């Protein structure tokens, strides 16, 4: 398993690297690649030295396989996408800046741009997140065409790192007297898809999605959220202010975003 962690040497990217290293302890088939794209070729040696120093620091904190990569590039996201495809990476771990004005963040967030590129799953680490054992994972689903919209193979590989308790939750404004046939059928499909994780299902009726989700994360002691943005619509949906924005932009816990 190849996991790429782009580094710009900012505190939040260094924190994401530490998070990833600690996350991979004990996963001996995993290799973490620290990656930096620099604009000026004259900085090549300095960057290589800085990446090596970071690698040494991480190895002092966690036993994990680490490689370093750097290259000259004027487009970090384009180069990161190319590297992920070339290495057949199964995960990219990135930070997201401390909350700022959403319109500005949409223009500058490489994390959100990488999710939109749909190369592989992207784990977005909040700027101040500290790694603790990932015991409880929430999968937020609309229960619509789950066999098509959930990229099962890559997601199960990542869940296999943690072997967590899986909580599958649907938060909806419709009032459920009882689940209709469609929801029951989709629930059975997901039960089969994730059977090795013994999923528990929750259907919550509310008119305040975001507050309900925050409360659910707190009540169930959720350590990681899974979300599956629709292809080609993620950034547009963010602009419109849908639920995915809240998951990635405002979550207090890491979010794994993966396209179908």
């Amino acid at each position: 398993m190849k996991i790429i962690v782009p580094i710009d040497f900012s505190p939040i990217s260094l924190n994401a690297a530490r998070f990833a290293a600690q996350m991979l302890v004990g996963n001996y088939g995993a290799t973490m690649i620290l990656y930096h794209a620099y604009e000026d070729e004259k900085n090549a040696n300095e960057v290589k030295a800085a990446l090596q120093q970071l690698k040494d620091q991480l190895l002092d904190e966690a036993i994990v396989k680490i490689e370093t990569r750097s290259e000259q590039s004027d487009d970090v996201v384009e180069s990161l996408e190319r590297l992920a495809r070339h290495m057949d990476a199964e995960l990219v771990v990135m930070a997201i800046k401390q909350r700022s004005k959403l319109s500005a963040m949409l223009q500058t967030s490489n994390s959100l741009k990488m999710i939109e590129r749909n190369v592989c799953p992207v784990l977005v680490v909040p700027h101040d997140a500290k790694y603790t054992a990932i015991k409880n994972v929430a999968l937020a689903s609309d229960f619509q065409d789950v066999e098509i919209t959930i990229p099962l193979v890559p997601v199960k590989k990542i869940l296999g790192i943690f072997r967590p308790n899986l909580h599958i939750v649907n938060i909806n404004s419709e009032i459920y007297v009882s689940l209709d046939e469609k929801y029951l059928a989709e629930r059975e499909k997901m039960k089969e898809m994730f059977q090795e994780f013994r999923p528990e299902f929750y259907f919550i009726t509310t008119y305040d999605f975001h507050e309900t989700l925050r409360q659910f994360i707190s009540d169930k002691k959720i350590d990681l959220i899974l979300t599956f943005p629709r292809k080609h619509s993620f950034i547009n949906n963010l602009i419109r202010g849908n639920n995915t924005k809240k998951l990635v932009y405002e979550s207090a816990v890491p979010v794994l975003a993966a396209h179908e």
Side-chain angles (χ1 to χ4, degrees), residues 167-186:
H167 306 266
I168 300 177
V169 58
N170 174 263
I171 300 173
N172 201 306
S173 61
E174 297 178 10
I175 297 175
Y176 295 104
V177 175
S178 62
L179 298 179
D180 61 24
E181 290 184 3
K182 182 192 74 171
Y183 278 94
L184 289 172
E186 295 295 301

Side-chain angles (χ1 to χ4, degrees), residues 141-195:
S141 175
D142 60 7
F143 281 70
Q144 302 289 327
D145 302 317
V146 296
E147 291 178 312
I148 299 173
T149 57
I150 296 177
L152 190 61
V153 172
V155 168
K156 286 175 73 171
K157 282 185 179 180
I158 295 164
L159 286 177
I161 296 174
F162 313 116
R163 308 301 303 178
N165 301 312
L166 182 60
H167 306 266
I168 300 177
V169 58
N170 174 263
I171 300 173
N172 201 306
S173 61
E174 297 178 10
I175 297 175
Y176 295 104
V177 175
S178 62
L179 298 179
D180 61 24
E181 290 184 3
K182 182 192 74 171
Y183 278 94
L184 289 172
E186 295 295 301
R187 183 179 67 178
E188 287 306 305
K189 291 176 185 177
M190 295 186 80
K191 186 176 180 180
E192 177 72 19
M193 291 163 66
F194 293 102
Q195 58 181 325

Side-chain angles (χ1 to χ4, degrees), residues 5-18 34-39 43-58 68-71 76 95 110:
V5 185
I7 300 293
D8 62 8
F9 299 105
S10 65
I12 62 170
S13 74
L14 297 177
N15 185 63
R18 291 189 183 92
L34 302 173
Y35 172 74
H36 179 79
Y38 50 86
E39 294 184 1
N43 295 327
N45 291 334
E46 180 182 349
V47 166
K48 289 179 181 178
L51 284 175
Q52 183 61 47
Q53 182 180 26
L54 175 59
K55 174 182 174 179
D56 292 341
Q57 290 173 352
L58 294 175
T68 62
R69 295 255 181 153
S70 58
E71 64 178 326
V76 174
N110 289 334

Side-chain angles (χ1 to χ4, degrees), residues 232-258:
H232 310 306
S233 65
F234 182 61
I235 296 298
N236 288 335
N237 285 342
L238 281 168
I239 294 171
R240 289 199 299 270
N242 80 340
N243 296 331
T244 304
K245 178 197 75 174
K246 295 289 185 181
L247 289 177
V248 175
Y249 178 56
E250 294 189 354
S251 177
V253 300
V255 175
L256 179 71

Side-chain angles (χ1 to χ4, degrees), residues 212-222:
T212 301
L213 181 60
R214 283 192 288 271
Q215 191 63 50
F216 183 84
I217 290 169
S218 175
D219 291 346
K220 299 299 179 182
K221 297 180 171 57
I222 298 300

